[in-house]
Amino acid sequence: MSWATNYALENIAERGDISADLISDNVIVLKADNKPDVMAYISDAHSIEYNSAGAMAASHPEIDFVCGYRKNCIWHGDAITYLKSQSIGWGSFGTLTSALLDGDANLAEHKVFRFAARAIRQMGGITFEREYDRVIKVTNNYGKNKRIAFAEDYDPTADVVRKIWEKFGPVDVICNINPNGRPTSGAHSAAEELGTKILKLGETMSVISKR
C-alpha cells in the first residue's frame, strides 16, 4: 500500500459521511448511505499517462475511478480518453469523494478543470482535443486553431504564467478558470513577453469563436 492510499484511508476515516475499506494494494472501496459503492485505484504518481492508466484498469477491471492523489498530478490526454472509454472516472481525491456522494463516479472528471472544459467542449462549431487535464486544442468553423492552458490559481502571477509555458510549451491563451480570480498585472506582462494572453473563461471563449 502506497503512502497515497494510506492518506486517502486516513482522510476518509476522519469524515462521518463516508467510509472506505482497503481491497488490495492501492484499491479501496468507498461507501456512503444510499449511494452505489465506488471502487477506486489510488495513485501516487506525479503524472498519469496512457500506459499507467491502462495498467491500473487491467489490474483491477472492476474499478470505477482512478484517483491521482498528488495535488499537482498531471493527466495526459490519451490517459483521460482511455479511462472515459472504459467508463472509469478520473481526477483528484476531492473529485473522488464528491463523485461518491453524487453517485456518478464512473462519469466523473477532475473537478478543478471540469466546468471550463465542459463549457468550451459544448460550444457550437468547434473540435476539441485534450492534450492534458489542463491543456486543450480547439479548432473553430473557420479553421482557426488555438492551444489553451487552464490556470486554476485565484490570482495568477507572472511565475504561474512562466511555469505553464515551461512545462507545457507555447500556448495561445492561458485561461484563468477560477471564477473569482483575477490575473495580476505581472501575469499579463509575462504573458505579453511570451507572446500569449491570460484571459478569463468568457474572454477565452470569445477568442475561440473569432474568424
Side-chain angles (χ1 to χ4, degrees):
M1 180 173 65
S2 73
W3 65 267
T5 304
N6 186 55
Y7 272 120
L9 290 169
E10 288 182 356
N11 284 332
I12 291 169
E14 293 174 357
R15 298 180 53 152
D17 55 342
I18 65 176
S19 61
D21 297 309
L22 180 68
I23 298 300
S24 64
D25 298 327
N26 298 308
V27 177
I28 65 175
V29 170
L30 295 86
K31 301 179 180 182
D33 290 343
N34 303 314
K35 299 295 181 181
D37 292 354
V38 173
M39 185 173 291
Y41 192 108
I42 310 297
S43 171
D44 64 355
H46 290 277
S47 66
I48 295 178
E49 305 173 6
Y50 177 83
N51 289 339
S52 57
M56 293 176 208
S59 65
H60 297 87
E62 66 276 30
I63 62 172
D64 304 297
F65 191 95
V66 172
C67 169
Y69 195 83
R70 293 180 187 271
K71 181 180 178 181
N72 295 319
C73 177
I74 295 170
W75 298 75
H76 290 237
D78 51 3
I80 294 169
T81 299
Y82 171 75
L83 291 172
K84 291 178 70 174
S85 75
Q86 301 300 306
S87 297
I88 297 173
W90 64 279
S92 62
F93 181 67
T95 306
L96 169 60
T97 54
S98 294
L100 167 68
L101 296 173
D102 291 339
D104 63 354
N106 298 87
L107 301 175
E109 60 179 277
H110 202 306
K111 64 190 299 183
V112 170
F113 308 107
R114 177 176 57 208
F115 178 81
R118 186 173 297 171
I120 293 173
R121 194 163 51 229
Q122 291 178 346
M123 291 175 63
I126 69 160
T127 60
F128 178 101
E129 177 188 350
R130 199 156 200 165
E131 291 188 18
Y132 298 93
D133 51 1
R134 65 207 71 190
V135 179
I136 62 172
K137 276 186 179 178
V138 293
T139 304
N140 67 16
N141 271 341
Y142 308 109
K144 299 292 186 180
N145 303 308
K146 298 293 180 185
R147 190 167 188 259
I148 299 164
F150 296 142
E152 72 272 27
D153 308 73
Y154 182 78
D155 291 321
T157 62
D159 190 50
V160 168
V161 169
R162 294 190 183 103
K163 283 184 177 178
I164 288 173
W165 197 272
E166 290 169 5
K167 188 177 290 288
F168 300 105
V171 294
D172 299 293
V173 175
I174 296 172
C175 177
N176 178 211
I177 59 175
N178 189 313
N180 300 312
R182 191 172 79 175
T184 63
S185 59
H188 284 291
S189 296
E192 186 175 356
E193 289 172 10
L194 292 168
T196 187
K197 300 176 181 178
I198 183 162
L199 304 172
K200 299 295 292 180
L201 178 58
E203 296 170 320
T204 301
M205 294 170 71
S206 296
V207 168
I208 292 170
S209 301
K210 286 182 179 178
R211 288 177 178 270

